[in-house]
């Protein structure tokens, strides 16, 4: 796993670049203002459901998230995580906007997904960082309205995030965790490096550490993997060569004995 982290860091470094109103008027809010404040107050005071997830409602959902207090943000996160259709709909809206060239829609989806990530919900992370959604979420994050050129994050990951197996890994869950860890590193260190707060960054690092522990713990208990590892090391010693990837794998596993 150490070689994966170092490879990510090195690849990233090579690839990136009228006058004042009368006093009476200012003290008397307009009817529209009163209705707006009442609406926001009602939403924040008792948030039972989010607006239907449609392109026309994305700005309203985003405003709800951004204007909520901490308690309401937890409620929003709970509503999103329990809605099994929320992220499939987000992905479908993203693909529709991409196919039609709707840049305003793509920018709005980016803002919404960024705000959802900053809710720092473990239940939401379980969904968006899963194999089902993570590449689509990274696709959404290619359309940052603050960047004039559409980013190519998925292409970068496809070209450079190639798992180099010093020893063959036959368990799909382990391989999935390794890929997920690489992608989380990329999200936090490249895509959202400037916007993540300390709490969200800490949560993502916790997921990474848990993944590393899972992978190493599983591999050290896999007799076939351990047998292949020692055979590879003996072969390298006999040939008088040094295999750095094998050494790194061995060192990572040894830390958990």
């Amino acid at each position: 796993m150490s070689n994966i982290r170092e490879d990510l860091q090195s690849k990233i470094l090579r690839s990136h670049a009228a006058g004042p109103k009368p006093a009476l008027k200012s003290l008397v809010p307009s009817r529209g203002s009163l209705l707006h404040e009442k609406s926001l107050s009602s939403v924040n005071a008792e948030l039972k459901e989010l607006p239907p997830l449609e392109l026309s409602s994305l700005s309203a959902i985003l405003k709800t998230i951004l204007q909520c207090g901490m308690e309401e943000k937890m409620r929003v996160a709970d509503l999103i995580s329990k809605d099994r259709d929320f992220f499939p709909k987000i992905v479908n809206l993203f693909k529709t906007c991409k196919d039609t060239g709707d840049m305003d829609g793509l920018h709005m989806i980016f803002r919404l997904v960024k705000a959802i990530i900053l809710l720092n919900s473990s239940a939401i992370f379980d969904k968006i960082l899963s194999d089902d959604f993570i590449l689509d979420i990274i696709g959404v994050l290619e359309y940052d309205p603050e960047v004039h050129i559409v980013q190519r994050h998925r292409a970068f990951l496809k070209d450079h995030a190639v798992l180099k197996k010093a020893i063959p890994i036959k368990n799909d869950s382990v391989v999935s965790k390794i890929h997920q860890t690489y992608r989380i590193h990329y999200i936090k260190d490249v895509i959202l490096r400037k916007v993540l707060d300390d709490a969200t960054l800490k949560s993502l690092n916790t997921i990474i550490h848990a993944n590393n522990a899972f992978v190493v713990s599983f591999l050290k208990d896999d007799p076939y993997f351990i047998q292949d590892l020692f055979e590879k090391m003996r072969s390298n010693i006999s040939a008088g060569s040094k295999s750095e990837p094998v050494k790194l794998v061995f060192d990572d596993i040894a830390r958990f004995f």
Side-chain angles (χ1 to χ4, degrees):
M1 272 62 69
S2 299
N3 56 323
I4 293 175
R5 294 194 295 269
E6 292 176 0
D7 183 55
L8 172 62
Q9 293 169 354
S10 62
K11 292 280 176 55
I12 291 169
L13 289 174
R14 292 199 299 269
S15 65
H16 288 291
K21 297 181 180 179
L24 183 58
K25 268 193 172 182
S26 66
L27 292 174
V28 181
S30 67
R31 183 172 180 272
S33 175
L34 284 173
L35 289 174
H36 176 70
E37 290 178 6
K38 183 178 180 181
S39 175
L40 284 179
S41 175
S42 175
V43 168
N44 291 341
E46 192 174 355
L47 186 63
K48 293 184 177 180
E49 62 181 14
L50 293 171
L53 191 57
E54 301 168 353
L55 192 59
S56 59
S57 67
L58 295 182
S59 60
I61 298 173
L62 177 61
K63 182 179 291 186
T64 299
I65 295 175
L66 295 179
Q67 295 185 349
C68 278
M70 182 57 66
E71 186 175 340
E72 289 80 16
K73 286 183 187 293
M74 293 173 63
R75 176 60 179 157
V76 171
D78 187 59
L79 289 172
I80 292 174
S81 64
K82 289 182 177 178
D83 183 353
R84 66 177 62 186
D85 295 325
F86 188 89
F87 290 108
K89 287 181 179 179
I90 283 283
V91 171
N92 287 336
L93 286 175
F94 164 66
K95 291 180 178 179
T96 298
C97 290
K98 188 172 181 293
D99 290 341
T100 59
D102 183 356
M103 292 302 295
D104 290 338
L106 291 167
H107 289 163
M108 180 57 68
I109 296 172
F110 173 95
R111 293 187 183 99
L112 178 59
V113 168
K114 182 180 75 171
I116 290 172
I117 290 173
L118 290 172
L119 287 173
N120 192 23
S121 162
S122 58
I124 288 177
F125 287 150
D126 284 344
K127 289 193 173 185
I128 65 174
L129 299 177
S130 69
D131 289 342
D132 292 334
F133 295 111
I134 189 167
L135 287 178
D136 286 317
I137 292 299
I138 290 173
V140 168
L141 297 176
E142 292 177 346
Y143 292 86
D144 185 347
E146 302 298 324
V147 180
H148 298 302
I149 301 175
V150 176
Q151 304 300 290
R152 293 175 53 81
H153 300 308
R154 288 172 297 178
F156 177 89
L157 290 172
K158 181 180 179 181
D159 292 340
H160 299 288
V162 179
L163 180 59
K164 298 178 181 179
K165 300 178 184 178
I167 307 296
I169 300 174
K170 301 174 183 178
N171 185 279
D172 291 340
S173 295
V174 172
V175 174
S176 176
K177 289 291 185 184
I178 294 173
H179 281 301
Q180 184 191 59
T181 299
Y182 193 105
R183 291 161 182 165
I184 296 173
H185 268 296
Y186 189 82
I187 290 172
K188 77 180 186 69
D189 294 338
V190 179
I191 304 177
L192 298 179
R193 179 174 58 87
K194 296 181 180 180
V195 301
L196 291 179
D197 55 43
D198 290 342
T200 306
L201 191 60
K202 182 178 179 181
S203 295
L204 294 177
N205 283 331
T206 297
I207 296 172
I208 289 171
H209 294 324
N211 282 357
N212 288 342
F214 171 84
V215 170
V216 172
S217 179
F218 187 94
L219 293 180
K220 78 179 180 62
D221 293 330
D222 181 349
Y224 299 104
F225 180 85
I226 295 298
Q227 181 179 347
D228 288 344
L229 175 63
F230 279 102
E231 286 181 357
K232 188 78 171 180
M233 292 188 71
R234 281 195 294 266
S235 175
N236 289 335
I237 292 172
S238 298
S241 64
K242 294 181 180 179
S243 178
E244 189 64 20
V246 173
K247 181 180 182 300
L248 290 173
V249 170
F250 184 83
D251 289 344
D252 275 345
I253 293 176
R255 290 189 297 107
F256 286 82
F257 279 98

